[in-house]
Amino acid sequence: MGRPDLHGKNGKPVKAKLPEDHEFAELIAEAYRVFTAPKPAETGVCKGCCMEPAIEADFLVPDIEGLPLHYLHDWYFAAVSDAFDQNIWRYLLPRVLEVLTSGEELAYVGLEVSLSRFPTGDAARWKAEEWAVLDRFQRMYLDRVVRQGEDCLDDVLCMFGIAGWQLEDLFEQVLDVPADTLAEMLWRDWCIGRGSIWITAFWDNGGNSEVFAFYTSPELYKRMADLALDGQTPPEIAEKALAVAGVIEQAVAWDAGN
C-alpha cells in the first residue's frame, strides 16, 4: 500500500502520498512493484539551466517513493534533453501516477502534459504487466473524473490522448458513463460561466478536431436530449441535460457557418 509516513530531508511528511484506504492505493502499490527499476544516471532534462541547482543535484538521491513533490514540479518545468528515454520515464512513472491520483498538482504547465513526455499510452512499448497497470490507471482515472468532476473532462481526455491512448477508445469510455452522470459533468464543464464547449489548447496533431467532432456528435446529443425529455428524469438533471444539448446545438450551428 501507500507509505504516507515517508519523510523528506526537512523531516516533514512527503506530499502527495496515498493513504492505505485510498481507492487508488492498491493500483499505485502495484505500479511501484511493476515499474521497479534502477535509478537512471540522468534526469532526462536540461542540465544547469531549467532546474533549481539544489533540486537537480538531489533529484536522483531519494528513493522513488519518497521523491518530493516540488522536485517533480521543477522537473516538469525543465525541457526534455537528448538523454531522456524510456528507462527514465519507467523509473518515474509510479511516483507520477501516485501524484496524479493524490489530487495534488503535478505539472504547473497543465494537467494535460502530465503523461506526454514519453508515449505512455502506446501499449506496444510496454511489457504486459506494465501495460496492465497503465490501462487500469487510465480507466479508473477517467471514471473518477466523470463521477467527481475534479477536472474538466477535456483536460483529462487530452492528457491521455496526447500521451498515446487511442481517442476512439477514450470516447467509448465516456459514452459508457450513465447519461445522468455525464450530463452533470458536461454541465459543470460547459454551462457554468462558459456556455460553450471547452476544448483545451494542448491538443495537437488534429486531436482538437476529433474531440470537437465527438462533443458535437449526434450520439452524444441524442443521449442528452433523450435524458432531458424523459419523464422519469429528475427535473434538476433534465434541466442540466437540456442545457448541455443546447450548447451542442450552438456548436454545430457555429461549425456549419464557418
Side-chain angles (χ1 to χ4, degrees):
M1 292 296 182
R3 291 176 55 188
D5 59 336
L6 285 175
H7 289 72
K9 294 170 66 175
N10 58 8
K12 296 182 179 180
V14 175
K15 292 183 178 180
K17 298 299 296 180
L18 300 186
E20 293 187 358
D21 61 352
H22 193 281
E23 64 179 314
F24 280 86
E26 180 183 353
L27 177 61
I28 297 305
E30 181 70 1
Y32 277 113
R33 185 190 69 79
V34 167
F35 289 103
T36 297
K39 288 184 180 181
E42 303 282 349
T43 62
V45 295
C46 63
K47 295 181 178 180
C49 175
C50 299
M51 294 183 72
E52 290 287 338
I55 294 177
E56 182 179 345
D58 195 54
F59 189 79
L60 296 171
V61 174
D63 290 340
I64 187 60
E65 289 188 60
L67 187 66
L69 178 57
H70 69 285
Y71 279 28
L72 279 171
H73 290 161
D74 209 49
W75 185 81
Y76 271 96
F77 181 77
V80 171
S81 73
D82 292 338
F84 186 86
D85 60 20
Q86 186 172 6
N87 290 328
I88 294 172
W89 194 230
R90 177 182 281 109
Y91 171 75
L92 291 173
L93 258 178
R95 186 70 177 116
V96 167
L97 300 183
E98 182 174 34
V99 174
L100 283 171
T101 58
S102 74
E104 293 279 358
E105 189 170 27
L106 177 64
Y108 287 142
V109 177
L111 173 71
E112 298 92 321
V113 306
S114 298
L115 296 171
S116 63
R117 290 196 160 186
F118 185 84
T120 314
D122 183 353
R125 294 177 180 265
W126 303 101
K127 300 174 183 177
E129 62 176 356
E130 293 172 340
W131 178 247
V133 168
L134 291 171
D135 183 59
R136 185 180 168 200
F137 170 82
Q138 181 272 299
R139 293 174 186 279
M140 287 180 63
Y141 193 93
L142 181 57
D143 177 72
R144 184 181 72 169
V145 166
V146 174
R147 284 187 289 107
Q148 300 182 8
E150 295 175 350
D151 298 295
C152 284
L153 175 64
D154 189 69
D155 295 357
V156 176
L157 291 178
C158 183
M159 176 178 72
F160 291 123
I162 65 176
W165 271 271
Q166 294 298 308
L167 291 181
E168 295 81 3
D169 185 45
L170 296 173
F171 297 158
E172 286 181 7
Q173 291 176 49
V174 173
L175 290 175
D176 281 342
V177 172
D180 56 345
T181 303
L182 185 56
E184 288 269 14
M185 166 138 229
L186 295 178
W187 181 81
R188 287 192 300 265
D189 287 0
W190 297 352
C191 301
I192 298 179
R194 182 173 282 124
S196 62
I197 292 175
W198 164 250
I199 296 181
T200 176
F202 282 95
W203 285 105
D204 56 16
N205 297 323
N208 55 342
S209 298
E210 291 181 63
V211 76
F212 180 80
F214 170 66
Y215 292 147
T216 57
S217 65
E219 186 173 9
L220 184 59
Y221 175 79
K222 186 175 186 303
R223 289 200 75 195
M224 296 297 100
D226 287 351
L227 180 65
L229 297 174
D230 188 339
Q232 300 300 312
T233 303
E236 181 182 356
I237 301 298
E239 184 177 348
K240 291 177 178 179
L242 188 62
V244 171
V247 169
I248 295 174
E249 285 181 337
Q250 291 172 11
V252 170
W254 173 87
D255 188 52
N258 287 276

